[in-house]
Amino acid sequence: MRIVLPFLTVLALALPGRADTYWPGPGDIVTPHAGGLDLSSADGMAREGMPFGSSFHETMHTLVPIFGHDVSVAFPQECGEGPLVSVHIPGQINLMFQEDQLAGWMLIDDSALRTATGLHVGAPRMALADEGAVSCTETGIGTEFGAGDLFGLLSEDGTTIQGIWSGATCIFR
């Protein structure tokens, strides 16, 4: 018993130090960029991001405490990128996983997120000027734009950004 008591005391003293380690939670900020996702705590302190290639488990383990458990998982059958797993987090982001790794993201519909450069769904087309060289192409889904490794879709009238994505997607044109 005398051996156990000092061990438990040392263990108890070590635990408060772990309270200072980062654990994601509501209010934290997820910022999509051309190579994956960045993460900041609610106080603005930058944290380790989740680049493309991050595991499904690691990504979801990080995002669920931030966004909650309201997620939908789908397995699109015919994607040009090959077999994908799609995770939809309503009002936030769609994530694409391939072979258990984060492979892409999409901001669509009512997404509240902004890219690292400030682009967001509903932003005016003029916001693309800050992206540098932007190309626009008419496709089967409308006017698509490309700015480096960021891509997206403009509204029917071409005045606002309707969607933004990077990496693997499952878009039928």
Side-chain angles (χ1 to χ4, degrees), residues 129-153:
D130 295 338
E131 297 300 313
V134 176
S135 63
C136 290
T137 308
E138 289 298 320
T139 68
I141 61 170
T143 304
E144 290 187 53
F145 66 84
D149 289 331
L150 287 179
F151 302 91
L153 183 67

Side-chain angles (χ1 to χ4, degrees), residues 6-39:
F7 175 75
L8 291 176
T9 303
V10 169
L11 182 63
L13 291 174
L15 289 177
R18 294 186 54 84
D20 293 338
T21 61
Y22 173 69
W23 187 259
D28 285 359
I29 301 161
V30 176
T31 307
H33 60 84
L37 305 171
D38 282 336
L39 189 61

Side-chain angles (χ1 to χ4, degrees), residues 14-93:
L15 289 177
R18 294 186 54 84
D20 293 338
T21 61
Y22 173 69
W23 187 259
D28 285 359
I29 301 161
V30 176
T31 307
H33 60 84
L37 305 171
D38 282 336
L39 189 61
S40 300
S41 61
D43 64 7
M45 192 128 170
R47 302 294 180 190
E48 190 171 320
M50 292 171 286
F52 290 149
S54 296
S55 76
F56 177 88
H57 176 77
E58 172 191 351
T59 303
M60 296 311 297
H61 183 75
T62 301
L63 295 181
V64 165
I66 296 170
F67 295 129
H69 293 274
D70 186 16
V71 301
S72 301
V73 178
F75 303 90
Q77 295 299 311
E78 297 181 24
C79 291
E81 302 279 346
L84 295 173
V85 173
S86 172
V87 175
H88 175 68
I89 303 173
Q92 303 297 333
I93 194 167

